[in-house]
Amino acid sequence: MKKIEAIIRKTKFEDVKEALLQADIEWFSYYDVRGEGKMRQARIYRGVMYDTSCIERTLVSIVVRDKNVERTVQAVQQAAHTGEIGDGRIFVIPVENAVRIRTGEQGDIALYNAEQEK
């Protein structure tokens, strides 16, 4: 199992969500986050100068079985891509175990409904 965390532009979240659903990834969490980027510059909007060093992004967190890692990463990468600086990052992290609280099932089976596989 792997945990995939993607930090993406807020404006690309709906595209990423749709891409994940198309890739049959139906469960994920997301959070509004802020971070510090490498680029340091000020932007002027309507005569007011804004510091852009603090960047607002969305963090998408997904835990998938090993067989779904590549298609999940590809779905996020393609949907979040703009080609500009600040598109974000994707991290793939090993997950040692998962436990479904309701049934006590552990491992891969805790990530999906076995009844749907039949």
Side-chain angles (χ1 to χ4, degrees), residues 18-112:
E18 197 58 40
L20 288 171
L21 293 174
Q22 291 285 329
D24 292 327
I25 305 302
E26 299 171 344
W27 187 90
F28 55 89
S29 300
Y30 59 94
Y31 315 90
D32 289 333
V33 296
R34 293 178 183 218
E36 293 288 326
K38 183 177 177 181
M39 297 296 290
R40 303 256 186 237
Q41 63 185 20
R43 301 234 175 174
I44 298 175
Y45 178 73
R46 295 189 177 182
V48 178
M49 186 175 292
Y50 293 94
D51 180 17
T52 61
S53 62
C54 181
I55 304 167
E56 292 189 359
R57 295 285 187 249
T58 299
L59 171 67
V60 181
S61 178
I62 314 153
V63 178
V64 296
R65 294 183 287 167
D66 289 334
K67 72 178 192 175
N68 295 330
V69 171
E70 190 58 36
R71 74 174 167 181
T72 304
V73 169
Q74 288 298 318
V76 172
Q77 184 176 13
Q78 290 172 2
H81 180 266
T82 68
E84 299 175 9
I85 293 174
D87 273 353
R89 300 278 190 278
I90 300 172
F91 304 98
V92 180
I93 307 158
V95 172
E96 190 173 317
N97 197 10
V99 178
R100 185 180 302 208
I101 295 172
R102 178 176 53 90
T103 63
E105 295 168 314
Q106 295 191 26
D108 281 359
I109 195 74
L111 298 180
Y112 70 100

